[in-house]
Amino acid sequence: MAKTTQTFYENSVYKFRDTKSEIDIDVFDNTAKGDIAAVTASRQRLAHLNEVYDGDRDIPKRFATCEYDQFLLDGSMTLMPDDYAREKVGWWSELSDDNCEFARPQIITVHFEKRHSSAGITCYYDEYSKPVESICRWYRGEELLAEHKLLYPAWTVETFNSANITVEQFNTMTVGSFNYGEAPAKQEFGQSVDGYDRIEIEIIQTQNPQTYAKLYEIDFGLTYALTGEQTQGAKVKEQVSLLSNTLYPNELSFNLENYERKYDLLNPSDLLRYFKKGQEVRVQAGVKNRKTGIFERINMGKYYLDPPSSKSAKLTCKAYGILNILLDDEDYYSPFWQDATVADIVDDILIGYDHYVHPNVAEIKLTGYIPTQNKKDALKVVAIAVGAIVKEGRDGKIYFYQATEELISNQIIAEDTVYTGWPHAGTLMAGLQPLPQTIVALPYVLKVDRNTRLGDIDSKDIGSYTKVSVNYFNYGSADPTAELQELFSGEVITDEDGNAKIAYSDAPVYDLTCELPAGCSIKHYADVSLFHGDPETIYELVVNGRVRKVSSATASATLPQIEIDPQAQTLVLDSCNELIGSAQQARTAARWYLDQMQKRLDISFKWWAVATTEASEYLEVETTYGTIVKAQISSIEYDLGGGLTATVKGVV
């Protein structure tokens, strides 16, 4: 379950609850940061200029300075070390004067190798040390393409009138004064510009006198937020295959109003051209606390946009979780694994991806290899070999585990479960805040009773199985005296980056040798070699090596005769899993899948859902007849604009 509080649960099961959702779309040029040639600053107090485009938007620890009210002794600040090389500082301007202005221009400039286009520019500042007036300029060479000025706050008639400002107060108001209002730490230059290769951001005035402007990150685009009625029709679908025969990414669908044709490629001011595949989309859902009136929000996941198309007054968009990104990554090339742990194999597949391997599978040892394929399917091979589930967490992390019943209220790891606990007698306090205390997970399964279930339960008998057979492979040892074979001989043509793949018809291979031309390199794997050379040259290569001897056999798990249902079937599991390299592992996999296949009913129903619930968890479901069945969730789809009701599919 997603981490939340006891009050969220209590307000979620309230019959007349009030909910709301928000969808944030990062319409950024995701290629811009990787194409930055240099970042320069006209003036600076402190700077690590490479940090303003490292993708880290989190504000680091706050350093005590001689700025006004910035040397607090409440434990919220730390002293700046003499050597701040390891500290995240971004870019600090020079100190502003008593009028919040600068004696010299404070400009940071970003230079690109290629031209870029974006719907705007977003800057992230320190909450205290931020500008109230700044300018962004876009250039192509020396040509100024556009200029956009930010001045906070942008008064409206309504906000000005509601402030009850007198004439005397108005005459004394200045930029940066207390009466003038607060600027946000996240500031957006809402100007769409195409084909720029340089931008300048100039800080004119700061929020407070005698302060720095502290810039921590620049994004090349804008974040569009959908709230209220804009989330009508939006849905989040979380699903897993309980047998891992398919790895499902989480899915988000939502609509953009297009009555004015803002998202139309034929419109000269079209915004659709800035929506690109892979842009990040984040979702939050909230339930109103009946006592405080405040909405308590939880994270509903991180998704990556699929390019929408403009066809009607409603622009339908879809975004998918991180598992879908694995399809677009480069293929996975496997070594031959000899008694390797599952944790090591998964780590090798998911290099660069945030992931977690649960202890209930992490130390299982496997022998074999994974034929070259995309990383998503490679992960599926490992999951099938050990009876594991692959699931996307709402934190964007990939989880790999066996969904055993011991994990009912502790699905993955402790910090991802529902917690409860209140300050009690003897609790240490810091001011009015209780100091951290150990709080245990709630030891129960959520219950879907007839009051929270919406409508009837649909059920379908999916049958059961008497026997599961799993093919496995016996791999011969890597004999260094075996005869060398010519595994490849012929021309090799590289792509535009100088890379080429040599695949072998017999595998797994070992002890490969190849005489390389000068300036070339080659890396060998269990069934392929990756060659790198000059993209303008056609090479003649010969690769010699040895091939392991391989034989296959079958291991089975069978139900006792007295348990066999007359309608039961026999299942042969994935006869081509080259990572099952022992009879023991094959028997273990067969027994696991046979146990799973004794769940005979598929059920589905609509639910007044608690939005912390995720796929693969268990629910206690009250039937129409008053009996309770325990269902493992295979799919749960939340209606964000429909009060967070959910359509649940599970197996009993």
Side-chain angles (χ1 to χ4, degrees):
M1 292 182 179
K3 182 180 177 182
T4 186
T5 65
Q6 178 71 3
T7 54
F8 183 91
Y9 168 75
E10 292 170 351
N11 288 297
S12 292
V13 296
Y14 178 55
K15 186 175 182 181
F16 302 103
R17 71 184 184 188
D18 192 1
T19 66
K20 68 178 180 180
S21 303
E22 180 174 326
I23 301 172
D24 294 320
I25 314 165
D26 287 343
V27 185
F28 298 157
D29 180 348
N30 288 332
T31 65
K33 291 185 178 180
D35 188 46
I36 290 177
V39 178
T40 58
S42 63
R43 300 284 185 271
Q44 64 190 51
R45 174 63 183 88
L46 297 175
H48 292 156
L49 294 178
N50 62 307
E51 292 176 351
V52 302
Y53 61 93
D54 64 2
D56 186 2
R57 304 173 195 164
D58 293 332
I59 303 302
K61 58 182 128 177
R62 299 187 68 189
F63 293 106
T65 67
C66 292
E67 301 167 271
Y68 175 73
D69 205 24
Q70 291 299 288
F71 207 109
L72 303 180
L73 302 179
D74 60 356
S76 64
M77 292 185 168
T78 186
L79 291 175
M80 175 70 76
D82 292 336
D83 181 6
Y84 64 92
R86 296 185 178 181
E87 304 292 345
K88 179 176 173 63
V89 297
W91 172 63
W92 292 19
S93 71
E94 294 180 325
L95 203 65
S96 63
D97 59 23
D98 291 339
N99 295 319
C100 306
E101 298 174 339
F102 295 97
R104 297 176 292 186
Q106 307 292 307
I107 300 174
I108 184 169
T109 304
V110 181
H111 306 263
F112 299 94
E113 296 281 358
K114 302 174 183 176
R115 294 178 179 177
H116 291 270
S117 301
S118 63
I121 300 293
T122 302
C123 296
Y124 302 84
Y125 299 95
D126 179 83
E127 188 64 44
Y128 181 85
S129 305
K130 56 196 174 185
V132 291
E133 184 178 1
S134 58
I135 299 175
C136 184
R137 303 181 183 93
W138 291 259
Y139 293 89
R140 182 185 301 147
E142 297 304 315
E143 178 188 0
L144 177 64
L145 299 178
E147 182 176 272
H148 189 88
K149 183 175 183 178
L150 289 180
L151 182 63
Y152 291 98
W155 290 105
T156 65
V157 173
E158 291 78 10
T159 58
F160 188 85
N161 289 339
S162 64
N164 295 319
I165 297 173
T166 66
V167 174
E168 291 76 15
Q169 288 174 322
F170 178 80
N171 290 334
T172 59
M173 285 175 61
T174 60
V175 173
S177 70
F178 177 79
N179 288 331
Y180 193 82
E182 284 286 327
K186 176 184 176 181
Q187 300 187 7
E188 297 181 329
F189 295 95
Q191 174 78 46
S192 59
V193 181
D194 295 334
Y196 58 86
D197 56 22
R198 174 165 56 98
I199 67 163
E200 288 181 356
I201 298 170
E202 181 177 1
I203 310 300
I204 308 297
Q205 290 183 306
T206 55
Q207 174 78 55
N208 299 293
Q210 295 289 337
T211 58
Y212 307 105
K214 300 174 184 176
L215 175 66
Y216 290 114
E217 186 71 16
I218 302 174
D219 278 324
F220 303 96
L222 302 177
T223 298
Y224 292 166
L226 306 182
T227 58
E229 293 184 356
Q230 295 172 311
T231 63
Q232 291 296 320
K235 295 183 178 181
V236 162
K237 186 175 185 179
E238 302 175 352
Q239 54 185 335
V240 297
S241 168
L242 299 178
L243 295 179
S244 290
N245 47 13
T246 303
L247 303 190
Y248 294 107
N250 292 343
E251 181 180 326
L252 165 70
S253 59
F254 60 95
N255 297 317
L256 293 174
E257 297 293 352
N258 199 28
Y259 294 110
E260 298 176 0
R261 293 292 177 182
K262 293 186 296 184
Y263 308 103
D264 191 332
L265 293 175
L266 298 178
N267 185 343
S269 59
D270 165 55
L271 296 177
L272 187 63
R273 66 186 185 276
Y274 300 117
F275 285 73
K276 304 293 183 183
K277 184 178 179 67
Q279 290 171 333
E280 187 175 299
V281 185
R282 297 173 302 281
V283 184
Q284 289 185 331
V287 177
K288 190 175 184 178
N289 188 309
R290 288 174 288 157
K291 295 179 180 178
T292 65
I294 298 172
F295 281 87
E296 183 177 351
R297 294 170 176 260
I298 64 167
N299 173 29
M300 294 296 290
K302 184 187 295 184
Y303 303 86
Y304 299 90
L305 192 68
D306 250 17
S309 58
S310 175
K311 294 182 179 179
S312 64
K314 282 189 180 293
L315 188 69
T316 300
C317 303
K318 286 188 177 293
Y320 298 91
I322 191 67
L323 285 176
N324 216 49
I325 300 295
L326 295 180
L327 289 173
D328 298 325
D329 201 344
E330 61 183 22
D331 284 345
Y332 174 67
Y333 304 107
S334 170
F336 184 82
W337 297 102
Q338 184 72 50
D339 289 329
T341 64
V342 167
D344 287 342
I345 298 172
V346 173
D347 287 349
D348 194 57
I349 296 172
L350 296 179
I351 292 174
Y353 293 91
D354 197 6
H355 62 280
Y356 174 82
V357 182
H358 195 277
N360 66 9
V361 291
E363 298 303 316
I364 296 175
K365 293 186 177 180
L366 298 174
T367 293
Y369 75 103
I370 302 172
T372 297
Q373 55 197 295
N374 67 69
K375 292 183 177 179
K376 180 182 172 186
D377 287 341
L379 201 59
K380 181 177 72 174
V381 171
V382 188
I384 288 176
V386 296
I389 279 178
V390 179
K391 187 182 83 167
E392 294 178 357
R394 294 181 182 176
D395 54 2
K397 185 183 293 187
I398 298 173
Y399 291 92
F400 193 98
Y401 62 104
Q402 279 189 352
T404 57
E405 292 206 27
E406 305 90 77
L407 300 179
I408 286 176
S409 64
N410 184 12
Q411 278 298 314
I412 307 299
I413 46 180
E415 60 250 40
D416 279 347
T417 62
V418 176
Y419 281 73
T420 187
W422 305 97
H424 49 78
T427 298
L428 295 175
M429 306 289 284
L432 298 177
Q433 297 299 319
L435 293 177
Q437 55 181 309
T438 301
I439 304 174
V440 297
L442 289 172
Y444 64 75
V445 183
L446 289 179
K447 185 174 180 180
V448 181
D449 57 28
R450 282 179 285 185
N451 293 322
T452 58
R453 178 166 49 78
L454 307 174
D456 294 330
I457 300 174
D458 294 328
S459 60
K460 177 184 177 183
D461 191 338
I462 57 176
S464 59
Y465 291 79
T466 64
K467 179 180 178 181
V468 173
S469 297
V470 176
N471 284 7
Y472 65 94
F473 293 86
N474 291 308
Y475 294 101
S477 60
D479 183 0
T481 65
E483 182 181 355
L484 282 172
Q485 304 176 38
E486 185 179 88
L487 301 177
F488 175 83
S489 178
E491 292 183 340
V492 174
I493 302 175
T494 64
D495 60 20
E496 60 184 9
D497 297 319
N499 299 318
K501 180 172 69 176
I502 301 171
Y504 304 112
S505 56
D506 294 323
V509 296
Y510 65 101
D511 289 349
L512 275 66
T513 61
C514 178
E515 291 189 13
L516 291 175
C520 298
S521 62
I522 193 168
K523 190 169 184 178
H524 303 299
Y525 295 91
D527 63 345
V528 299
S529 292
L530 300 183
F531 173 81
H532 182 76
D534 180 2
E536 301 298 323
T537 305
I538 298 176
Y539 296 93
E540 285 280 348
L541 294 181
V542 176
V543 181
N544 296 314
R546 298 181 172 93
V547 182
R548 289 179 186 266
K549 294 181 179 180
V550 182
S551 62
S552 62
T554 301
S556 301
T558 307
L559 278 182
Q561 190 65 32
I562 58 173
E563 297 181 18
I564 295 178
D565 186 280
Q567 304 299 319
Q569 309 167 56
T570 300
L571 172 68
V572 178
L573 175 69
D574 199 351
S575 60
C576 295
N577 194 323
E578 286 86 353
L579 205 54
I580 302 179
S582 71
Q584 180 60 43
Q585 186 57 41
R587 283 196 201 99
T588 301
R591 171 52 60 185
W592 167 261
Y593 284 101
L594 183 63
D595 290 345
Q596 297 303 300
M597 295 306 293
Q598 299 317 300
K599 297 174 180 177
R600 298 185 55 203
L601 289 180
D602 273 342
I603 66 170
S604 62
F605 56 90
K606 288 191 175 182
W607 180 34
W608 193 248
V610 179
T612 56
T613 309
E614 300 180 57
S616 90
E617 294 178 9
Y618 289 82
L619 290 174
E620 288 184 348
V621 183
E622 184 179 9
T623 69
T624 307
Y625 312 101
T627 57
I628 302 295
V629 296
K630 186 180 290 183
Q632 189 174 17
I633 302 170
S634 58
S635 170
I636 182 165
E637 184 176 56
Y638 291 96
D639 189 342
L640 300 181
L644 288 181
T645 56
T647 300
V648 180
K649 295 182 180 179
V651 179
V652 176

